[in-house]
Amino acid sequence: MKNLIVIIFAFLVCQANAFRPILLLGNQNLVERTCKQTPFYDLCIWSLKSNPESRDASVKKLAQIMVDSLKTKATETLDLIDELLQDGLALDPEMQKALTSCAERYNVIIRGDVPEINEALKTGDYKFAVKGADDAAIEANSCEIEFPTKSPLTDMNKVVHDVSVVAASIVKIIQTKFSF
Amino acid sequence: PLFYKGWYHLFYQYNPNAAVWGHIVWGHAVSKDLIHWLHLPLAMAADQWYDKNGVWTGSATILHDGKIVMLYTGSTTEGVQVQNLAYPADHYDPLLVHWVKYPRNPVLVPPPGIGPNDFRDPTTAWLTSEGKWRITIGSKINKTGIALVYDTKDFINYEMLDGLLHAVPGTGMWECVDFFPVSETENNGLETSINGPRVKHVVKASLDDDRHDYYAIGTYNDRNGTWIPDRPNIDVGIGLRYDYGVYYAAKTFYDQNKKRRVLWGWIGESDSEAADVKKGWASVQSIPRTILFDKKTGTHLLQWPVEEIDSLRLKGKEFNQVRIQAGSVVPLDIDSATQLDIIAEFKIDSDALEKATGSSDASFDCATSGGAAERGALGPFGLLVLADERLSEQTPVYFYMTKGSDGNLKTFFCNDQSRSSKASDVDRHIYGSLVPVLRGENLSIRILVDHSIIESFGQGGRAVITSRVYPTKAIYGAAKVFLFNNATELNVTASLKIWQMNSAFIQPYPNL
C-alpha cells in the first residue's frame, strides 16, 4: 500500500512538473504567434521578450508592452534631437529646421499618440489605438524625410517607425481575435 | 441630434484637452437651419464613476409628451462600457443647456456572454406594437457583428430580447448601430416608429475593424424584433457604404420640423496628428444630408446635402455644353475656388460607348487603380478641384466607365488624393465605388468644396465620397477648378453651375 501511495505521489508530482514547461511553452507560443502576425517579427520578439511582463500576458498586455517600448524609443530619440539642437550641428540652418520639425513630431508621438493609444486600449475603443500607432509611424517617417541630405536620426526613426507598426498590428489582432 | 422647440441640436464627441482623441465629453451646438451653428457650453462632462473614462455616443428619444430622454454609453473607471440615462434639467429651456444624469446609473451593463468592451452606442427608441419602447445596441460575439435588442417602458428597466435584431459573421464589432424606416413611395422621411406596407427598414453599422459605415435595406419583424436584409449578398458590413471616403460614426435623426430623415457624419482628418496639434483642432461634421430610399434602383439609399446649404450660395456662374476632348483639361474661369457648390452633368457620345471594345479585365476598382492619371477607353473624366494653375496639386472627382466582354457597361465614381498635396505626411488614397447608372440617365456630380473638405455626390447621391486634402499651393486665391477628360476613346460634354459659398459664421451663442 505504501508503495502504491509513493507511486501515485510520484506520478502526481511528475504530472505537475510536466505541466510547467507546457504552460511556459504555451505563453511563449502566444508571443511568437502574435509576432508572426506583425511585419517585423524579430523586432517584435526582442521588444516583448526583453520585458518580463510578457510571460503570462494577454494579447492586450502585449500591445501595452509594445506601446511602452514606443514611448521609450521616442523619448530617447527626442533626447538626441535636443542634444543635436544644442550642438554645433545646429549651425546649418537646414539641419536646424529639420531637427526642430522632428522635435515637434516626436513631442506629438510622446504626448499625443502614446496617451491616445493607452486610453483606447484601456477603454476598448481599439480603432483609436490603431490610429495613434499608425500616426506615430507617419511622424517618424516624416521626420526622416525632412533632412535634405544625411539624416542623423535614420536608425532611431526606423526603430520608432517599426515599433509603431508592430503595435498597430498587435491591436488589430485584439480587434479580430476570439473572446475578450 | 434632435429638433426641439425651434432649434436643431447637435451633441458631439469632444476632447477639451487636445486635438487627438481622448477624455471624451459631450460638446453641444444649436442652429435654426442646420447650417449656421452657435456653440453652447459642454452638455455633459465625465464626472461620474460610470462615465469617468468617456462620455461616449448616445441617442435621444422624444416621448409622447414631447419630453426628451437621452441614453448614452459611459466608459466606467474600470473601462467597462455601460449605458446611462440622462435628461434635460429644464424642459422649458429651448437651448437644453443643462443636463441631469439619472442618479441610479447605469441602466444597462454588458449582459452575460458580451465583453466589457463590446457594448456601446444605444439607438433612438421606437415603439413596438405592444406600446413598449425598443432600442438596439451594437456588439460582437467572436468575429460576428451583432445588434442586441432591449424593450423598456421607462428607460430605466429593460428586458433583453432572446434574439438579435441581426448578425453578420466576419464583420467584427458593430459601433454606432442605427435602425430606421424609409418609405418606398414617398419623398419624405419617416418617424422612427413607423412601420407598415411600402416601408422598408435600414440597419446601419460602423465597423470598428475597417472604420467604414455600412448599411443594408430590409424588412423588420416587430413581433420578434428581428430584421432580414432584402439582399443577403450585400448585407450589413459586406455591401453598401454611406460614403466611400473619410466618413464614420454616422447617425440619422427624424426631423419632425421638415418631415425628413437627416444624416450626420464624422469627417476625420487625413493629415498627421502633429499637423492637427499645430493647427489646434481636428475633425469636422459633414454638411447634414437627407436620406431617401432610391425608388429607381430599389437597392440604394440617396443622400443629398440639406436644402438649407443653398442659403450659403453667393454668385453663381453657368457653363453650358463645354466640350472636353479625349485627353484634355479645360479651365473654368471663376473667381475664388476654395468654397464652392458645383452641380455638373456629363453627356457622353453613345456611339463611342457602342464602339468601345469590351475587355475581360473587368476588375477595375478606384482604390487599386492608378487614379485619374490612368487612362482607359471610357474614363476617367470629371472635375479637378483644389488644383493650382500648373496642376502641381489637384484632386480629381470623376467617373470611370468600363465595358465587360459581355458588353455590359459599369460606371465607377472616384476621388483621387494621390496628387492632392506636396506635403509628405498626408493621405494619398484613391476612394470610390461602383455607382448604378440607369438607362437614360446622364452622369451627374455635385461637389461641396470647403478648403480641406470635399463632399462629392454621384448620380443624385447614390454614391457619395468625402475626402480631406491639404494642398500647399492650391489654396485661397491660387486654387482653381478644371474639367478634365483623360479617356482615350471618349469625348465628353459637360454643363455645370458653380456657386461661391459664403461662410456659415459659426460662433459661440451670444450673451448666454
Side-chain angles (χ1 to χ4, degrees), chain B residues 264-278:
Chain B
W264 281 100
W266 164 42
I267 306 174
E269 299 291 324
S270 294
D271 62 359
S272 70
E273 291 193 351
D276 297 342
V277 167
K278 208 162 187 176

Side-chain angles (χ1 to χ4, degrees), chain A residues 113 116 119 127 135 139 175, chain B residues 23 175 208 273-274 425:
Chain A
D113 294 334
E116 181 179 13
E119 182 167 343
K127 63 180 180 297
D135 186 68
E139 304 298 353
Q175 274 179 306
Chain B
H23 314 110
E175 303 189 285
D208 186 46
E273 291 193 351
D425 56 357

